[in-house]
C-alpha cells in the first residue's frame, strides 16, 4: 500500500515537471471524410515552427510540444485546401478540424541563371552574365555590375567605398596600381569577379580587427592560368599631327608566380598615366611631403578629359610576384612615366575678396613629367604570424614652361616641382594562443623636394622642402569578454625644413597612447578608439607643448541580412605644418604669394556621418544613402591683396569656422531582361565659410548638387546601348546659380564579328556663358578572339573651342579652352 | 461455390490492399541544382540538375540531364543538337517515394541498376531550428538532422505542405527547397517551381525488367566501388568475371583508372574498400 502511494506521489510529482504538451485532433474535409497526410504545425512567437505532425490514414494526428518550447497557435495545411489557423487557447484537445477546398494559386518561380551569388561575405558576379560584346577590358564589365563603380581615374568602389585590395586569383600582384590589370586584362580571360565584403587582408587579424572596406578578386578562366599571354596593340593616324597609340603587354598568372609587364605610348589624349598611379593607400604607410610647387595646370573643361588633352605619353611598368614554399610573397614593382603635354587657354579671373579685381590671361604651357618608381615588398602572411616590409623609392624630373599674356604683357613661366622620396614600412604581428596578439611597426620616410620657380621680376625662387618622418609603435591585443581591446603605444616625429633665402625648421615630437575597443556580436559592430598624446612642437626659438585627446567612434547595425545602418563620429586636432606657419613669404606659382603668421597654428574639427546600405543579391539591387557633417575650426583666414599682378595672401588673426553638410545616395539594379543594368546617384551639399571682404568678415554659403543616371542594355543580339547623364548645380551666395547637364550616349551595332560604335556627348547649361557642345565619334572594327582591326574618327564635327564659367570660394572665372580637332586612327590588335 | 466466393473475395482484397500503388500524375515540378564534390581526392565542385515531380500520393526525384539524353539520344549521337548541359556532371541517382510500394522509398543508382528500399516513416529525425529565410520567393523555416553520418541543415516552406524534398529527404511539414551538409560536400538548391505537366510518376526499370535490391549499406559500398576498382565493380553488377581496361568520358577523352574515394550522401563506417578489394584480385561476388 505504502509502495502504491509512494509511486502515485512520484507520478504526480514527475508529471508536474513534464511540461511536454500533446495536442491531438482529426483532420477532415468539409464532408467529414478524413484527410490523409495533412501537415499540422505548432507555431510559437514570431511564426517559428515549434513542433509538427502529419495526419494518418484516419485523419488523426498527435502533436507533441517539446519541453521548454511555447506554442501560440496550431496550423493545418494541405495542398488544395485553405490553411486553418487555430490560436492555442481556443484549441480543444481531440477536436475535428474541417478543411475547405481552395483552388491552388501556385506561385511559379524560375530562378534565372544567377548573375550574382552570395556565399557568406563573398559575392560572386559572373562575367558572362554582365559582359557585353563591346566590352574589352575587365574594367568595362565591372562598371556594369551593380554595386560596383569604376571611376575615370581607375579607382574601383563597392557600395560607395573604395576597395582595399585587388587580387588576381587570390594574389596581390599590383598593390595600389591595380588599374594596370583592370584596364588591360581582357574580359574574355576572367570567369568571375568576387567581392570580399569586410575584408581583412592580414590573416593574423582575422576575426580580430574588422574592416569596413571590401576587396576585389578576379577568378580567371582555366585557360588563362599558368600560361604566358601577351597583347600587341598598335594604332596610328592623323589629326593636327601624326598620332600614335600603341600597347605591348605581357602577363602570366600562376599559383606561385604572377607577372604583368607593359609598355604604352599614346598621343591621342587618352589618359594612360593613371595606370601607374597608386589608386588608394592600402596599408599603413609613412606619409611623404606634399609639394608646394606643382606643374602648370590650366584646368580642364568638364568634358571627357581626352578632348582637351594634347599629350605625348610613354609608360613602362613591370610587376613580379613570387610565392615561396611557405606561401610568403616577394614582390617587385618598377614603373616609369614620361609625358610631354601642352595646354592652351584664355582665362578671365575675378577675385571676389580682393575688391573684385580682374585679371585676364592667355596662357599656353608645356609640361614634362618624368617619374620613376620602384617598390620591393616581402610579406609573410600566415595564420599566426604576419611580417611585412615595403621599401619604396620615387624620383622625378618634372618641369613646366609657359607663356602667358597678362593684361597685354607677355610673361614667361617656368617651374620645376621636383620630388624624391624613400619610404620603408615594417610591420610585424604575432598571434598568441587564446586569441591575444601583439605587434610592432615602424613607418619611416624621407622626402626631398628641390623646387624652382620663375617669378614676374625675372628672379628664380629656389624653394627646397625636406621632411623626415618616423612613427614607431607597438600594441597588445586581447579580449575582455565580448570586446576586443587593443593597447597601443608609440612615438611619432616629423621634421620639416623649408629653404628659401634662409632655412626654416619645424619639428613635432609626439609620444602617444592609443587604446581602442571593438565589439562585434550578432548584428552589432562597434569600434571606439582614442588617441591620447603629448605634442611637442618646435619652430625657430619657439616651443609648445599640448596634451591632446582625439576620439573616433564607429557603429554599425545590421537591420536585416540585406540592410545595415552605420554611423561615425570623430574629432580632429591637426597641427599646421611648416608651409602654413613659416614667416618667410613664398610663391606657390608666378601669381600667388603666401605668408604665414610665424606662430604655431592648428585646426580642430568634428565630423559625423550616418549611412544606410542595402544589398539584395537575389534581385540584383544595391543602394546606399549617406549623410555627413564636417566642421573645421581655427583655420587661418588670409587677407588677399592684388599688388602688381601678384595675388598675395597674408595670414590675419581671424580664424575660420567652416561647416559642411552633405547628403548623397546611389542605387543600382541589374535586371535580367535585355541584360539591363541601371544606376542612379545623387548628392547635395551645403557649405558655409567665412571670407574677409574689405576687412570685414562675412559668412558665405555655397550649395552644390549633382545627379547622375547611368544605364546599359542589350535589347537584341546585335544592338547594345550605354547611356550616362549627369546634372550639376552650383550656387554661391555672391553669384547666381549655375546648372549644367552632360549626356553621353554610346550605340553599338554588333553584327557577327563586326563592331560599329557611335559615341555622342552633349553638354549644355542654363547659363549662357557656358557653351552648348556636341561631340560625336565613330569607330568601325572587326574582332575575332585573338585579332582586331579597325578605323576610328573622333570629333567628327571638328568642334575646336569650349567656354566655361565657374565659381570657387573666392573667385569667379570664365575660361575658353582649345580642343582636339577631328582625328583619324587605324588600329591593329593581337592577343597572344 | 464457396471456393469461387473466396477467390473473388481474395481478388477484391488484393485489389483494395494493393501492394502496387495506382499510377500517379505530376502535380508539381521542382527543379534543384545540386553542387557536390565527387571524390575525396579532387576538390572540384560538380553541378547536377535534378527535378522532383510530386503527384497526388507519390513522387519521383529524377535527373533532368538523364531525361534529356534519353529523349534525344539519336540526335545527340548524330551531333544534330548541341549539348545544353555542358559543364554539368550528372550523378545518375534517382529516388522514388511511395511508388511502387506505398510507405517506402526506392533509391536507384543507374549504373548497374542497383537499388535499396527504405521505410519512409521515421527515416529522418528532424530538429526544428529558429531561423527564417526566403528561398525561391517562398518563406522558409530551418531544420537540421543527423542522418547516417552527415549533419544536414535544410530550409523548408509551409506554403507547399508536401512532406518531400530532394534525394531521400522527407518527413518535414513542408517542401525542402535548400539543403546542405556540414562538411559542404553537398548542396541542394531549388531554382525552379512550376505546375506539373501531368506526366506519369513511375519508377524506371531496365530493359531486363529486373532490379537488384540491397540494403542501403551495400548500395553505398557498390557505389564507392565504382570509383575504387572499376573491374571489381563491373564484375559485381554483371555477375561475371570482368576487367576494365580503359574508360572514356563523354567527349572521348581517356580517363585514368586510379582508385578514388567516392563521397556519398551517407557515411557508413563499416565500409572499408581498401581492405575488401585489394587490387589484382578478381573474385566472383555473390549477388
Amino acid at each position: 500500500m505504502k509502495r502504491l502511494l509512494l509511486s502515485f506521489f512520484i507520478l504526480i510529482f514527475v508529471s508536474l515537471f513534464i511540461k511536454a504538451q500533446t495536442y491531438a485532433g482529426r483532420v477532415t474535409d468539409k464532408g467529414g471524410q478524413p484527410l490523409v497526410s495533412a501537415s499540422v504545425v505548432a507555431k510559437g512567437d514570431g511564426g517559428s515552427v515549434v513542433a509538427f505532425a502529419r495526419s494518418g490514414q484516419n485523419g488523426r494526428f498527435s502533436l507533441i510540444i517539446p519541453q521548454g518550447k511555447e506554442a501560440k497557435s496550431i496550423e493545418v495545411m494541405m495542398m488544395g485546401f485553405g490553411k486553418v489557423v487555430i490560436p492555442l487557447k481556443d484549441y480543444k484537445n481531440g477536436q475535428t478540424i474541417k478543411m475547405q477546398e481552395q483552388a491552388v494559386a501556385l506561385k511559379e518561380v524560375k530562378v534565372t541563371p544567377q548573375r550574382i551569388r552570395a556565399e557568406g561575405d563573398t559575392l560572386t558576379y559572373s562575367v558572362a552574365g554582365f559582359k557585353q560584346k563591346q566590352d574589352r577590358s575587365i574594367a568595362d564589365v565591372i562598371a556594369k555590375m551593380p554595386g560596383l563603380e569604376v571611376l575615370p581615374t581607375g579607382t574601383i568602389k563597392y557600395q560607395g567605398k573604395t576597395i582595399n585590395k585587388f587580387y588576381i586569383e587570390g594574389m596581390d600582384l599590383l598593390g595600389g596600381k591595380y588599374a594596370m590589370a583592370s584596364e588591360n586584362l581582357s574580359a574574355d580571360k576572367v570567369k568571375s569577379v568576387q567581392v570580399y565584403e569586410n575584408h581583412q587582408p592580414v590573416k593574423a587579424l582575422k576575426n580580430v580587427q574588422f574592416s569596413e572596406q571590401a576587396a576585389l578578386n578576379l577568378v580567371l578562366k582555366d585557360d588563362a592560368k599558368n600560361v604566358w599571354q601577351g597583347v600587341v596593340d598598335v594604332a596610328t593616324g592623323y589629326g593636327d599631327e601624326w598620332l600614335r597609340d600603341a600597347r605591348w603587354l605581357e602577363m602570366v598568372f600562376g599559383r606561385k608566380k604572377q607577372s604583368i609587364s607593359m609598355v604604352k605610348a599614346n598621343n591621342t589624349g587618352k589618359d594612360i598615366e593613371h595606370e601607374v598611379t597608386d589608386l588608394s593607400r592600402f596599408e599603413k604607410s609613412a606619409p611623404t611631403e606634399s609639394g608646394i610647387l606643382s606643374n602648370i595646370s590650366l584646368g580642364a573643361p568638364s568634358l571627357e578629359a581626352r578632348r582637351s588633352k594634347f599629350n605625348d605619353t610613354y609608360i613602362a611598368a613591370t610587376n613580379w610576384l613570387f610565392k615561396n614554399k611557405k606561401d610568403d610573397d616577394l614582390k617587385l614593382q618598377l614603373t616609369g612615366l614620361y609625358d610631354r603635354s601642352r595646354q592652351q587657354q584664355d582665362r578671365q579671373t575675378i577675385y571676389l575678396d580682393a575688391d573684385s579685381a580682374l585679371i585676364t590671361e592667355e596662357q599656353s604651357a608645356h609640361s614634362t613629367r618624368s617619374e620613376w618608381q620602384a617598390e620591393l615588398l616581402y610579406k609573410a602572411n600566415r595564420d599566426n604570424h604576419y611580417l611585412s616590409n615595403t621599401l619604396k623609392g620615387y624620383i622625378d624630373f618634372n618641369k613646366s614652361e609657359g607663356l602667358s599674356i597678362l593684361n597685354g604683357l607677355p610673361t614667361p613661366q617656368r617651374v620645376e616641382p621636383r620630388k624624391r622620396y624613400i619610404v620603408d614600412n615594417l610591420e610585424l604581428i604575432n598571434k598568441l594562443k587564446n586569441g591575444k596578439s601583439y605587434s610592432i611597426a615602424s613607418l619611416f620616410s624621407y622626402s626631398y623636394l628641390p623646387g624652382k620657380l620663375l617669378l614676374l621680376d625675372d628672379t628664380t625662387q629656389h624653394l627646397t622642402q625636406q621632411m623626415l618622418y618616423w612613427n614607431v609603435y607597438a600594441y597588445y591585443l586581447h579580449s575582455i569578454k565580448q570586446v576586443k581591446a587593443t593597447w597601443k603605444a608609440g612615438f611619432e616625429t616629423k621634421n620639416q625644413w623649408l629653404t628659401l633665402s634662409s632655412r626654416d625648421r619645424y619639428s613635432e615630437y609626439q609620444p602617444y597612447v592609443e587604446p581602442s575597443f571593438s565589439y562585434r556580436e550578432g548584428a552589432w559592430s562597434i569600434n571606439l578608439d582614442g588617441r591620447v598624446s603629448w605634442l611637442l612642437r618646435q619652430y625657430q626659438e619657439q616651443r609648445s607643448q599640448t596634451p591632446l585627446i582625439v576620439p573616433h567612434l564607429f557603429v554599425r547595425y545590421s537591420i536585416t541580412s540585406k540592410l545595415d545602418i552605420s554611423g561615425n563620429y570623430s574629432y580632429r586636432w591637426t597641427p599646421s605644418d611648416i608651409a602654413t606657419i613659416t614667416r618667410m613669404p613664398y610663391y606657390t606659382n608666378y601669381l600667388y604669394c603666401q605668408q604665414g603668421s610665424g606662430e604655431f597654428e592648428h585646426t580642430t574639427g568634428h565630423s559625423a556621418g550616418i549611412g544606410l546600405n542595402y544589398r539584395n543579391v537575389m534581385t540584383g539591387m544595391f543602394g546606399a544613402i549617406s549623410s555627413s557633417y564636417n566642421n573645421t575650426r581655427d583655420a587661418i583666414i588670409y587677407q588677399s591683396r592684388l599688388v602688381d599682378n601678384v595675388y598675395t595672401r597674408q595670414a590675419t588673426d581671424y580664424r575660420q569656422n567652416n561647416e559642411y553638410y552633405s547628403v548623397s545616395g546611389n542605387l543600382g539594379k541589374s535586371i535580367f531582361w535585355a541584360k539591363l543594368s541601371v544606376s542612379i546617384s545623387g548628392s547635395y551639399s551645403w557649405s558655409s565659410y567665412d571670407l574677409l571682404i574689405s576687412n570685414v568678415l562675412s559668412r558665405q554659403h555655397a550649395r552644390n548638387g549633382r545627379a547622375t543616371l547611368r544605364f546599359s542594355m542589350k535589347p537584341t543580339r546585335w544592338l547594345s546601348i550605354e547611356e550616362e547623364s549627369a546634372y550639376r548645380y552650383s550656387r554661391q551666395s555672391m553669384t547666381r546659380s549655375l546648372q549644367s547637364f552632360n549626356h553621353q550616349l554610346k550605340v553599338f551595332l554588333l553584327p557577327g564579328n563586326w563592331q560599329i560604335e557611335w559615341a555622342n556627348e552633349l553638354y549644355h547649361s542654363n547659363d549662357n556663358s557656358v557653351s552648348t557642345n556636341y561631340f560625336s565619334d565613330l569607330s568601325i572594327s572587326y574582332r575575332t578572339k585573338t585579332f582586331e582591326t579597325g578605323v576610328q574618327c573622333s570629333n567628327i564635327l571638328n568642334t575646336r573651342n569650349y567656354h566655361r564659367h565657374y565659381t570657387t570660394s573666392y573667385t569667379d572665372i570664365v575660361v575658353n579652352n582649345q580642343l582636339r580637332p577631328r582625328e583619324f586612327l587605324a588600329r591593329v590588335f593581337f592577343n597572344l | 461455390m464457396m471456393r469461387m466466393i473466396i477467390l473473388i473475395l481474395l481478388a477484391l482484397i488484393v485489389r483494395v490492399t494493393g501492394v502496387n500503388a495506382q499510377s500517379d500524375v505530376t502535380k508539381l515540378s521542382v527543379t534543384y541544382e545540386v553542387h557536390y564534390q565527387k571524390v575525396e581526392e579532387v576538390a572540384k565542385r560538380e553541378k547536377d540538375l535534378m527535378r522532383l515531380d510530386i503527384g497526388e500520393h507519390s513522387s519521383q526525384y529524377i535527373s533532368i540531364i538523364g531525361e534529356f539524353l534519353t529523349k534525344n539520344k539519336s540526335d545527340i549521337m548524330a551531333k544534330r543538337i548541341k549539348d545544353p548541359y555542358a559543364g554539368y556532371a550528372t550523378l545518375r541517382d534517382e529516388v522514388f517515394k511511395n511508388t511502387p510500394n506505398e510507405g517506402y522509398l526506392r533509391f536507384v543508382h543507374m549504373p548497374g541498376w542497383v537499388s535499396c528500399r527504405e521505410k519512409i516513416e521515421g527515416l529522418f529525425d528532424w530538429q526544428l531550428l529558429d531561423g527564417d529565410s526566403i528561398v525561391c520567393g517562398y518563406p522558409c523555416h530551418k531544420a537540421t538532422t543527423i542522418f547516417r553520418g552527415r549533419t544536414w541543415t535544410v530550409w523548408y516552406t509551409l506554403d507547399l505542405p508536401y512532406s518531400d524534398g530532394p534525394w531521400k529527404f522527407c518527413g518535414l511539414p513542408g517542401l525542402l527547397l535548400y539543403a546542405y551538409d556540414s562538411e559542404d560536400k553537398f548542396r541542394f538548391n531549388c531554382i525552379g517551381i512550376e505546375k506539373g505537366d501531368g506526366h506519369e510518376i513511375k519508377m524506371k526499370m531496365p530493359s531486363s525488367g529486373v532490379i537488384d535490391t540491397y540494403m542501403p549499406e551495400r548500395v553505398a559500398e557498390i557505389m564507392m566501388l565504382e570509383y575504387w576498382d572499376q573491374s571489381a565493380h563491373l564484375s559485381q553488377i554483371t555477375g561475371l568475371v570482368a576487367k576494365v581496361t580503359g574508360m572514356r568520358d563523354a567527349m572521348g577523352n581517356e580517363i585514368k583508372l586510379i582508385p578514388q574515394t567516392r563521397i556519398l550522401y551517407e557515411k557508413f563506417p563499416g565500409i572499408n574498400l581498401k581492405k575488401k578489394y585489394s587490387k589484382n584480385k578478381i573474385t566472383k561476388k555473390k549477388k
Side-chain angles (χ1 to χ4, degrees), chain A residues 155-170:
Chain A
T155 308
I156 298 178
K157 285 187 170 185
Y158 173 70
Q159 289 284 65
K161 297 201 246 298
T162 53
I163 56 172
N164 69 356
K165 277 258 182 260
F166 186 93
Y167 297 106
I168 302 175
E169 286 286 319

Side-chain angles (χ1 to χ4, degrees), chain B residues 8-276:
Chain B
I8 294 170
L9 274 170
L10 265 171
L12 278 170
I13 290 168
V14 170
R15 177 69 66 82
V16 166
T17 65
V19 173
N20 294 320
Q22 305 134 305
S23 70
D24 205 354
V25 291
T26 312
K27 283 276 175 330
L28 183 72
S29 283
V30 185
T31 310
Y32 293 93
E33 199 179 52
V34 186
H35 290 253
Y36 65 98
Q37 183 181 336
K38 216 193 293 210
V39 290
E40 293 279 3
E41 291 81 2
V42 179
K44 184 161 177 231
R45 308 279 298 173
E46 308 276 8
K47 265 194 314 192
D48 193 5
L49 276 178
M50 303 292 287
R51 195 183 65 232
L52 178 65
D53 291 330
I54 303 177
E56 281 291 328
H57 47 75
S58 60
S59 72
Q60 61 183 14
Y61 173 70
I62 58 174
S63 166
I64 293 177
I65 301 170
E67 193 179 56
F68 178 81
L69 289 173
T70 317
K71 205 159 47 167
N72 303 304
K73 202 193 318 212
S74 48
D75 284 332
I76 295 170
M77 297 289 270
K79 296 213 193 298
R80 272 194 288 269
I81 45 176
K82 246 192 342 189
D83 180 13
Y85 298 109
Y88 285 90
T90 179
L91 277 168
R92 309 185 66 200
D93 297 326
E94 299 189 347
V95 181
F96 302 88
K97 300 192 183 92
N98 282 312
T99 178
N101 308 105
E102 204 174 314
Y104 288 89
L105 68 80
R106 286 287 197 120
F107 172 84
V108 182
H109 182 62
M110 298 304 184
W113 292 93
V114 169
S115 81
C116 69
R117 191 179 80 152
E118 313 210 48
K119 193 149 184 220
I120 290 180
E121 184 82 33
L123 185 61
F124 288 91
D125 178 22
W126 295 103
Q127 265 84 52
L128 302 170
L129 297 175
D130 282 329
D132 296 308
S133 182
I134 297 193
V135 180
C136 258
Y138 283 85
C140 290
H141 299 273
K142 201 172 176 185
T144 186
T145 186
I146 303 178
F147 182 70
R148 295 185 182 154
R150 284 210 187 277
T151 306
W152 296 93
T153 307
V154 307
W155 296 88
Y156 63 94
T157 178
L158 294 174
D159 284 359
L160 298 168
Y162 294 104
S163 176
D164 216 330
W167 183 54
K168 293 183 186 174
F169 291 122
C170 56
L172 280 169
L175 182 66
L176 249 85
L177 297 182
Y178 191 77
Y180 60 92
D181 81 308
S182 57
E183 287 176 21
D184 199 29
K185 295 281 196 281
F186 293 95
R187 196 150 40 93
F188 298 91
N189 182 21
C190 169
I191 60 168
I193 300 176
E194 356 172 56
K195 232 196 283 264
D197 58 11
H199 66 262
E200 206 190 353
I201 293 177
K202 194 166 155 195
M203 188 171 100
K204 293 193 182 67
M205 297 289 271
S207 43
S208 62
V210 172
I211 283 191
D212 297 323
T213 307
Y214 303 94
M215 293 302 285
E217 186 160 345
R218 184 84 181 107
V219 171
E221 191 180 34
I222 295 173
M223 285 169 70
M224 288 187 75
L225 192 61
E226 192 180 335
Y227 281 78
W228 183 256
D229 184 344
Q230 285 77 9
S231 303
H233 176 250
L234 194 58
S235 311
Q236 166 64 49
I237 57 178
T238 56
L240 310 162
V241 173
K243 185 148 192 249
V244 175
T245 50
M247 265 174 82
R248 283 188 194 279
D249 70 9
M251 278 175 302
N253 305 320
E254 180 110 18
I255 306 177
K256 270 210 284 228
L257 292 174
I258 39 168
Q260 289 176 309
T261 315
R262 178 78 204 278
I263 300 174
L264 301 174
Y265 302 108
E266 297 142 327
K267 288 201 276 196
F268 293 105
I271 298 178
N272 188 336
L273 289 178
K274 226 181 197 164
K275 204 165 91 176
K276 202 167 172 186

